[in-house]
Amino acid sequence: MMPPVKNKLPPRRPPTGLRLLFAATTDLVHDQRMQRICSSLQDAGYQVELVGWARPASGPLPPQSYRQHRLRGWFQSGKLFYLEYNLRLLVHLLRRRADAWCAVDLDTALPVWLRARLGGQPLVYDAHELFTETPEVVGRPAVQRAWRWVENFVVPRARLAYTVGPALARVFEARHGRPFAVVRNAARPGPPVAAPNGEAGGYVLYQGVLNVGRGLEALLDAMPQVRGRLVLCGEGDCSAALRARAAHLGLLASGQVEFRGYVRPDALRAVTAGAAVGVMLLENRGLSYYYSLANKFFDYVHAGIPQVLIDFPEYRALNDAYDVAELVPDLDPGALAAALNRLLPGGDAARAQQLATNCRRAAPHLSWAQEEDVLVALYAGLFGGPKM
């Protein structure tokens, strides 16, 4: 058994004015984790820049306290996208100055490492996932070997490395023999949000990307047996296929399933507040999903709504501690429907109320306020370490 992960936090604050540049492949508008990280570090006294990628459907960037920049190009997926993104990112980085350079996941790592190397500044690796074990990579051996080479090259060279949960941190530590800190993807507390007019009382909510391995096909197959409707907020590679599946099942014509597309984070909080149940149903298609700790778990907790979760290690550990969800062992549509019906209006009202109460009690303990202290301390210690 791998040893537990411990964050070693230096008891000091950062010098003001140090520059941090983060590079991600997201469009930045919906990347709530990076919004929290960059805002917290900017508030702590750093000068932060976040670089992303403009998508055809990307909306305008919301105002933030830190600098934002989106690269633009011709390709949006596949090998040509990664090649173009990395080249354009490197050109951008060569024009910038920073005191530390942060690669957000493996697909940004090579140009960020090279820029850090050229400038003699520290490299930071922020792993939102175990990239080499995602469903898109696991089933393609040649692609997986290439990304494993990148991981084996870059991760040992990072001065600071952290990820979203203890289980993933232990995997990284076992692979690379170096410490990985944990900054969980917890929600930032906010004022109460009213549900949209006419929607209070409930629907089943899925928020997040519509990609392979998210259990969404099984969720749609379960819906004819569910006493309620399903709202999906997000888009992804499977958007068209999922809409076709819902139409084939008659769920669109009946209004039982609604695809709302991309929803900005501020509006999403209101949609979440109107739900009766949230769902998080990853498939076991690689270690990245199996050991994941998704931000939607924390979002549902802070909204005070019960969840139906797949029984993976991180979610079981948190549910054992706080009892905020019903766990399902697999994605059998009948089992999913039974779990959802138990928590929807007309089901087990006492159990649903108990879980909602537990969410409110758990929220202060599963808050970004806790993770922010860890994050700021990690970066405060970054500049006192050895040279690259």
Side-chain angles (χ1 to χ4, degrees), residues 53-105:
W53 185 259
R55 303 285 181 176
S58 295
L61 288 170
Q64 301 288 358
S65 60
Y66 52 88
R67 179 187 177 100
Q68 302 175 90
H69 178 78
R70 287 192 299 205
L71 305 171
R72 297 179 181 275
W74 295 293
F75 302 101
Q76 302 300 327
S77 63
K79 296 176 183 177
L80 290 176
F81 161 71
Y82 288 115
L83 176 61
E84 181 183 22
Y85 171 85
N86 276 258
L87 291 174
R88 290 185 183 275
L89 176 60
L90 180 58
V91 170
H92 178 76
L93 297 181
L94 290 172
R95 295 170 178 166
R96 306 298 299 161
R97 296 291 180 267
D99 296 287
W101 307 86
C102 182
V104 180
D105 283 323

Side-chain angles (χ1 to χ4, degrees), residues 169-187:
R170 289 191 288 268
V171 173
F172 277 117
E173 289 185 342
R175 280 189 177 189
H176 300 290
R178 57 152 304 150
F180 254 78
V182 174
V183 180
R184 294 185 301 182
N185 219 345

Side-chain angles (χ1 to χ4, degrees), residues 34-58:
M34 290 314 303
Q35 290 171 6
R36 288 189 287 264
I37 285 175
C38 292
S39 295
S40 294
L41 291 171
Q42 183 80 25
D43 292 347
Y46 295 99
Q47 298 299 310
V48 178
E49 178 178 349
L50 175 61
V51 179
W53 185 259
R55 303 285 181 176
S58 295

Side-chain angles (χ1 to χ4, degrees), residues 124-382:
V124 178
Y125 185 55
D126 179 344
H128 292 196
E129 59 191 356
L130 185 57
F131 194 91
T132 59
E133 297 291 336
T134 57
E136 297 84 355
V137 173
V138 167
R140 302 160 69 191
V143 171
Q144 187 180 49
R145 284 194 298 272
W147 285 115
R148 281 182 174 171
W149 181 90
V150 176
E151 180 182 293
N152 290 333
F153 179 81
V154 169
V155 172
R157 290 168 168 78
R159 178 86 61 81
L160 169 64
Y162 55 91
T163 188
V164 298
L168 281 181
R170 289 191 288 268
V171 173
F172 277 117
E173 289 185 342
R175 280 189 177 189
H176 300 290
R178 57 152 304 150
F180 254 78
V182 174
V183 180
R184 294 185 301 182
N185 219 345
R188 187 187 294 275
V193 176
N197 290 336
E199 290 195 330
Y203 39 84
V204 178
L205 174 66
Y206 171 83
Q207 60 178 71
V209 295
L210 309 186
N211 281 357
V212 64
R214 302 296 175 120
L216 298 175
E217 295 84 358
L219 179 60
L220 291 176
D221 291 346
M223 287 308 298
Q225 307 173 58
V226 174
R227 190 178 51 253
R229 63 192 183 97
L230 168 65
V231 172
L232 300 103
C233 295
E235 296 288 358
D237 296 340
C238 297
S239 292
L242 290 170
R243 284 177 167 86
R245 193 185 195 101
H248 176 73
L249 293 168
L251 299 170
L252 297 183
S254 68
Q256 195 179 6
V257 170
E258 178 184 357
F259 291 85
R260 294 202 180 175
Y262 288 118
V263 179
R264 295 175 74 94
D266 52 349
L268 184 59
R269 291 186 63 223
V271 176
T272 307
V277 186
V279 293
M280 208 298 301
L281 301 170
L282 292 175
E283 300 174 31
N284 189 359
R285 293 198 180 191
L287 295 179
S288 187
Y289 277 14
Y290 186 67
Y291 288 128
S292 69
L293 186 50
N295 64 303
K296 62 176 67 67
F297 171 87
F298 300 99
D299 291 341
Y300 297 149
V301 168
H302 279 261
I305 63 171
Q307 308 181 44
V308 172
L309 299 175
I310 192 67
D311 189 4
F312 285 176
E314 292 282 28
Y315 306 110
R316 171 165 285 282
L318 286 169
N319 204 53
D320 285 347
Y322 298 106
D323 191 25
V324 294
E326 292 286 320
L327 299 179
V328 291
D330 54 46
L331 299 182
D332 173 71
L336 291 180
L340 291 170
N341 285 332
R342 192 176 307 122
L343 300 180
L344 283 166
D348 188 341
R351 178 58 176 159
Q353 183 58 48
Q354 178 190 23
L355 293 180
T357 299
N358 291 346
C359 285
R360 291 188 287 273
R361 291 173 178 167
H365 305 283
L366 301 174
S367 164
W368 181 249
Q370 312 284 335
E371 305 308 311
E372 183 177 58
D373 290 342
V374 175
L375 176 77
V376 171
L378 289 171
Y379 276 86
L382 175 63

